[in-house]
């Protein structure tokens, strides 16, 4: 919620302006004028008899007036009374009571007269009466004996005081007696009982009268009331009643209403206009009657009608003649009704229609004084002149009285006087003074010269020109000092001389001149107007929802006129901010730290300047987890249910979404609370299902979006009756732990599930499919029973039934269990092996008979191991491997076999106890496969046209080697590949000399072994033939040329270019640039290499008798240029000598080819070294 309020200072000026219009003809005090009464005491003046009496009478006039007083219509000579003094320069009387005077001696009617040479003004008749607070008269109060159900009135009858006292009823402990529709106090102070009840019996009904004027309280003697119930009335009490008592021993009966006050069917009431009308009806009856009010022939006035004292009093404020009429009160209960009609007449003391106003006339002018008043009855109008009835006052030829009007014609200075108008009827009077002052005065402007007015743009501007003159001057306004006269609809000219600019704009700023003239002269005055920009809140505080203990800020960013100094005030709920250091007021914000519930409310930012004020408000809602529910109550207790109700706690501004009900079993699990149920947040009662033999306590937790409340206080405890168990143990199982037993287990019932004391379990079993009787045993406090001497792995029917001291649970369902297992007796037969390829075989077997399993069949295990490699004829450590095939499966796949090897296997059946005997070992052989790569490849003895190659046998021949395949091709300086040459080498060779090669040429070699199945993986290497000696000599001669200056300059230029290129390459490398090495590798790769497919098959769960060993990583090339077989075959080629190549973070190669090759063990990428000086020279040749 947000609201904005703006108060303009010019509107406040408008109020001041209206006041100025009323006093526009006030005569300046430096000019002669008759007296005017400015202050006087009220007409009905009740004084405290213990304090001095001050009777006020203040007046102004020129010359200053003198004062005199009358008392009870005769002159009051204050000089003769030592207790009375008159204040200096004042007519106020002070009667000294505190120094021996008695207030009663000065009771009477006083009137003050203020007089000077131009007339006399008089005050109202001031009636002085001392306040009185008399004591209660002594009286003997008899006890009130009342029959239950009858009505009763306890009379107060307070002493008559001045003013009348305020009545109230209390007890001896000074506590107000409770009142209701049945018991209430009437307007006269009496205490009315519509019907009495036994609880009304007491001996201290005390009526108190408080006299506010003297601040005293008088107390009546206590009144005793004894209420007799007919059900308990005995003969002894009846004997004590007098013969005149009308009470009989009858039962309490209901009675229709009768009115206790007012009595009869009709009454009248007179009230004066403007007062408060109070009408009262109090009725007796049983049940207690209800009061209703209507106005016959009309409606009760809206907005002015109120019902008090439980609708027994009708209150109408500010009554007028239109409120006269018949008002009916109706008292009703189930037996009938009673009514009373009050005829209301509204009279009126005199009230003004037009009060006479002062007249200022110049000699020869005409004028009128008008005095018009109304009342009921119509008031009588009489005139006085200078305090004397006008009929006996000195005659004035310029004056003529015409009823309520005095007409003046061609007045002269001697016509100055003060006239009094008196309007009176039987209910009061009005007295008004109005003078006629005859003056001849040139104009004068009372507004200070060059007065500065500041207003806000788009608001009214009021420029004063207070003036006086006789005759009354004419007023004109000009813009500037010598500007044109102001006219038009954009200006408003008021009678008191004020110029109003209804909507002032910035261009309205400037000088304004007011000119006042009459026949005696002319005068002018200048005022200044400044129009300011309005103050605005450009970012208002916004509605905030914050959790308790959080932090919140409200912004209030403003824009204002630069010449005005704003002040910002923050309010909370229209009051000051709490005096708390958690509230931090910044330049344009309010921050509240560690918010609490008390901070909830409306926060208002008020911006004040000297000219305007703006404000904006926002609501802060503090949310938190709800307060816990309270007043938990259990009702409708039954054996298996109860109704729980509660009262929700404060939701803390976040609606409660649900209630969680928890219970505690004080009998079985004291202190442990369990979830019972959950209901919506709109529900405050719930029917709960209960279990027998549980000592329940409940608590409720409220939940809202913020979280869960603290639990409520526990409810009262409720112990349910015992009963047979409703349920049996769950999760019943029968599993043997030994071949000759049966272990029966179950989940025990929880305490509250026992339904009564003495919880036990009846455990029953019998062998399945055998005509046996049930065998049973009753156990307690256990969840397991062992049956011994059972056959091995025999099915049993099992059931477990709960019972307690009151009986058995329902018949339980049966479950099937088995006695203990033993190891299987026989091995699978007819084991067959079918070799699929060099690495995969399929094994078959016949299932064993289920009776020989002697347990739950879990599956079969295949043990297999390599006996020897057929190519090497050498044995090694036997490493057995195991594959498990679940269930009743009779075949499986053996993956990961080594080619050209001899294997053995056997099969065993598995149950819950373990493995059975193994089948006879079955021998099978795998066929040849392709070999692995040669174990190494070395290139040595480079010459001008030859290279020597040496290699090692494959680590895994996987068969009988038939030959080696060598492929090679040259690589030029641009890394382009030349023609591919292939050579087949006998399998018994381990080296080869390649001749007729090109000198100083790099070659790439691809080398692999073959069996009858095919070629194995290849190993690669690169090497360079050496340079020709003739070329070396030519290079030597070129050194002489290099000593020439031109050659040195050329080389420097080339070096600079190379440096620039290296810098560019370095920058690209740092930015992650990639070189197309992959394409070059693909170009170098062996085109005959083909991918291999794996055969599909069925595989078991693999296990190994030894730990698995990690695969070996590839190693870097040693200094003798030997390449190990673990290295990748598709490596990059490096040229020359130098540092290893580098890789980007994404793995792309950014080095240059070098002559020396080294392998990266993890990725298979190569490193390169910087070119050697020899290769650098070759690049120039």
């Amino acid at each position: 919620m947000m609201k904005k309020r703006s108060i303009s200072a010019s509107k406040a000026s408008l109020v001041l302006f209206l006041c100025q219009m009323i006093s526009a003809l006030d005569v300046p005090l430096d000019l002669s004028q008759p007296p005017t009464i400015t202050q006087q005491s009220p007409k009905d003046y009740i004084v405290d008899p213990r304090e001095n009496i001050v009777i006020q009478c203040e007046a102004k006039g020129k010359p200053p007036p003198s004062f005199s007083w009358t008392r009870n219509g005769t002159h009051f000579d204050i000089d003769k009374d030592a207790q009375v003094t008159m204040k200096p320069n004042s007519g106020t009387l002070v009667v000294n009571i505190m120094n021996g005077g008695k207030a009663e001696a000065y009771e009477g009617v006083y009137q003050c007269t203020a007089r000077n040479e131009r007339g006399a003004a008089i005050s109202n008749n001031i009636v002085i009466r001392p306040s009185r607070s008399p004591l209660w008269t002594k009286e003997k109060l008899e006890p009130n004996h009342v029959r239950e159900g009858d009505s009763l009135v306890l009379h107060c009858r307070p002493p008559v005081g001045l003013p009348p006292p305020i009545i109230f009823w209390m007890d001896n402990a000074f506590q107000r007696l409770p009142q209701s529709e049945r018991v209430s106090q009437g307007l006269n102070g009496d205490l009315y009982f519509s019907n009495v009840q036994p609880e009304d019996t007491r001996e201290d009904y005390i009526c108190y009268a408080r006299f506010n004027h003297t601040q005293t309280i008088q107390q009546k003697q206590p009144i005793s009331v004894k209420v007799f119930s007919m059900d308990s009335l005995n003969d002894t009490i009846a004997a004590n009643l007098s013969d005149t008592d009308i009470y009989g021993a009858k039962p309490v009966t209901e009675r229709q209403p009768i009115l206790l006050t007012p009595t009869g069917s009709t009454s009248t009431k007179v009230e004066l206009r403007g007062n408060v009308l109070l009408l009262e009806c109090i009725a007796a009856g049983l049940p207690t009657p209800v009061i209703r009010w209507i106005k016959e022939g009309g409606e009760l006035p809206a907005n002015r009608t109120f019902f008090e004292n439980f609708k027994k009093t009708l209150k109408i404020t500010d009554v007028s003649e239109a409120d006269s009429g018949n008002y009916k009160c109706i008292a009703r209960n189930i037996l009938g009704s009673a009514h009373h009609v009050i005829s209301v007449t509204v009279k009126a003391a005199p009230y003004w229609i037009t009060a006479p106003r002062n007249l200022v006339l110049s000699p020869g002018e005409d004028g009128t004084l008008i005095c018009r008043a109304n009342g009921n009855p119509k008031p009588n109008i009489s005139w006085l002149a200078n305090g004397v009835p006008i009929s006996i006052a000195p005659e004035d030829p310029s004056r003529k009285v015409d009823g309520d009007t005095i007409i003046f014609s061609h007045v002269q200075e001697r016509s100055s006087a003060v006239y009094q108008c008196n309007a009176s009827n039987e209910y009061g009077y009005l007295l008004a003074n109005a003078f006629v002052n005859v003056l001849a005065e040139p104009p004068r402007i009372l507004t200070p010269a060059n007065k500065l007015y500041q207003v806000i743009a788009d608001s009214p501007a009021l420029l004063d020109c207070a003036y006086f003159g006789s005759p009354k001057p004419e007023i004109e306004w000009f813009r500037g000092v010598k500007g044109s006269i102001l006219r038009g609809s954009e200006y408003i000219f008021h009678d008191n001389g004020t110029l109003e600019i209804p909507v002032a704009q910035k261009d309205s700023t400037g000088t304004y001149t007011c000119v006042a003239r009459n026949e005696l002269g002319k005068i002018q005055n200048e005022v200044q107007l400044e129009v300011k920009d309005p103050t605005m809140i450009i970012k208002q505080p916004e509605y905030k929802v914050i959790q308790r203990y959080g932090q919140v800020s409200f912004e209030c960013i403003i824009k204002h006129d630069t010449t005005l100094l704003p002040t910002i005030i923050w309010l909370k709920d229209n009051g000051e901010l709490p005096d708390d250091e958690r509230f931090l007021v910044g330049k344009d914000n309010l921050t509240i730290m560690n918010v609490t519930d008390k901070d909830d409310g409306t926060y208002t930012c008020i911006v004040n300047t000297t000219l305007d004020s703006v404000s904006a408000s926002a609501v802060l809602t503090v949310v938190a987890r709800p307060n816990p529910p309270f007043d938990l109550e259990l009702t409708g207790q039954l054996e298996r249910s109860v109704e729980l109700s509660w009262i929700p706690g404060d939701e803390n501004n976040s609606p409660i979404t649900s209630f969680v009900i928890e219970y505690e079993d004080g009998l079985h699990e004291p202190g442990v609370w369990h979830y019972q149920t959950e209901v919506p947040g709109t529900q405050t009662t719930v029917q709960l299902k209960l279990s027998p033999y549980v000592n329940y306590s409940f608590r409720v937790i409220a939940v809202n979006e913020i979280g869960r409340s603290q639990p409520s206080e526990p409810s009262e405890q409720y112990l349910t009756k015992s009963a047979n168990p409703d349920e049996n143990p769950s999760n019943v199982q029968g599993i043997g732990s030994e071949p000759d037993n049966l272990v029966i287990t179950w989940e025990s019932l929880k305490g509250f599930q026992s339904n009564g004391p003495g919880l036990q379990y009846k455990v029953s079993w019998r062998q399945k499919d055998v005509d046996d009787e049930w065998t049973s045993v009753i156990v307690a406090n256990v969840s397991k029973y062992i049956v011994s001497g059972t056959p091995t792995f025999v099915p049993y029917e099992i059931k477990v039934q709960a019972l307690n001291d009151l009986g058995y649970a329902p018949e339980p369902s049966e479950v099937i269990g088995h006695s203990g297992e033993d190891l299987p007796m026989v091995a699978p037969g007819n084991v067959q092996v079918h070799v699929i390829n060099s690495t995969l075989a399929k094994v078959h077997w016949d299932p064993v008979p289920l009776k020989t399993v002697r347990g739950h069949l879990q599956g079969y295990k295949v043990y297999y191991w390599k006996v020897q490699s057929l190519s090497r004829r050498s044995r090694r450590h036997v490493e057995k491997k195991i594959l498990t095939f679940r269930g009743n499966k009779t075949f499986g796949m053996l993956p990961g076999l080594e080619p050209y090897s001899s294997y053995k296997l056997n099969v065993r059946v598995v149950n819950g106890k373990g493995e059975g005997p193994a089948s006879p070992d079955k021998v099978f052989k795998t066929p040849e496969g392709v070999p692995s790569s040669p174990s190494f490849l070395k290139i040595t003895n480079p010459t001008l046209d030859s290279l020597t190659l040496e290699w090692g046998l494959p680590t895994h021949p996987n068969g009988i080697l038939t030959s080696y395949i060598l492929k090679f091709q040259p690589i030029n300086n641009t890394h382009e590949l030349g023609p591919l040459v292939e050579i087949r080498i006998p399998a018994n060779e381990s080296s080869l000399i390649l001749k007729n090669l090109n000198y100083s040429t790099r070659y790439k070699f691809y080398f692999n072994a073959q069996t009858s199945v095919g070629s194995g993986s290849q190993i690669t290497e690169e090497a360079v033939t050496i340079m020709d000696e003739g070329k070396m000599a030519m290079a030597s001669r070129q050194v002489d040329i290099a000593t020439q200056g031109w050659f040195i300059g050329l080389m420097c230029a080339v070096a600079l270019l190379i440096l620039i290129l290296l810098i560019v390459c370095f920058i690209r490398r740092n930015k992650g640039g990639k070189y197309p090495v992959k394409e070059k590798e693909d170009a170098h790769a062996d085109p005959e290499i083909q991918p291999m497919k794996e055969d599909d098959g069925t595989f078991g769960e693999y296990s190994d008798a030894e730990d698995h060993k990690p695969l070996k990583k590839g190693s870097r090339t040693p200094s003798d240029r030997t390449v190990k077989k673990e290295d990748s075959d598709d490596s990059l080629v490096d040229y020359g000598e130098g540092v290893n190549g580098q890789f980007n973070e994404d793995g792309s190669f950014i080095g240059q080819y070098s002559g020396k090759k080294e392998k990266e063990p993890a990725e298979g990428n190569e490193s390169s070294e910087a070119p050697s000086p020899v290769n650098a020279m070759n690049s120039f040749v």
Side-chain angles (χ1 to χ4, degrees), residues 537-742:
I537 300 177
I538 58 177
K539 188 165 186 182
Q540 301 178 347
E542 297 177 347
Y543 173 75
K544 295 290 179 70
V545 177
I546 189 71
Q547 288 192 30
R548 187 187 294 164
Y549 309 124
Q551 176 179 324
V552 67
S553 290
F554 292 106
E555 287 189 295
C556 185
I557 300 177
I558 65 172
K559 179 183 178 182
H560 61 92
D561 192 287
T562 56
T563 63
L564 299 177
L565 183 62
T567 58
I568 299 179
I569 301 173
W570 287 91
L571 302 179
K572 179 182 183 295
D573 296 329
N574 296 322
E576 293 184 359
L577 289 178
D579 185 13
D580 192 328
E581 61 184 10
R582 297 181 301 108
F583 287 77
L584 306 177
V585 178
K587 177 182 178 183
D588 50 16
N589 62 68
L590 168 66
T591 300
I592 307 174
M593 312 286 292
N594 196 23
V595 172
T596 67
D597 293 338
K598 294 181 180 179
D599 301 331
D600 197 279
T602 300
Y603 289 84
T604 303
C605 163
I606 301 178
V607 185
N608 291 317
T609 69
T610 55
L611 298 182
D612 63 350
S613 176
V614 292
S615 67
S617 298
V619 172
L620 173 62
T621 300
V622 180
V623 296
R625 296 184 300 171
N627 291 349
F630 57 95
D631 280 358
L632 273 64
E633 184 179 7
L634 297 178
T635 56
Q637 289 91 340
L638 300 175
E639 290 185 1
R640 292 297 183 97
S641 68
V642 69
E643 183 174 89
L644 173 66
S645 61
W646 61 90
I647 298 176
D650 193 337
E651 62 184 18
N652 291 325
N653 296 320
S654 180
I656 295 174
T657 56
S658 62
F659 292 100
V660 177
I661 292 89
E662 296 180 341
Y663 73 91
E664 176 197 30
D665 182 0
L667 194 61
H668 304 98
E669 293 181 292
V672 179
W673 290 91
H674 301 275
Y675 173 86
Q676 171 90 7
T677 188
E678 187 169 351
V679 299
T682 56
Q683 188 172 329
T684 57
T685 59
V686 64
Q687 194 78 18
L688 300 175
K689 294 182 179 179
L690 306 179
S691 296
Y693 194 55
V694 176
N695 193 13
Y696 281 100
S697 290
F698 299 97
R699 69 183 187 184
V700 183
I701 299 171
V703 182
N704 64 9
E705 289 186 356
I706 311 304
R708 295 161 63 101
S709 73
Q710 291 294 320
S712 67
E713 291 295 323
S715 69
E716 60 181 303
Q717 290 187 332
Y718 177 47
L719 177 62
T720 54
K721 293 182 179 179
S722 302
N724 294 7
D726 292 326
E727 51 189 312
N728 288 302
S730 60
N731 197 23
V732 177
Q733 294 181 338
I735 302 174
S737 61
E738 298 294 338
D740 61 348
N741 74 6
L742 171 66

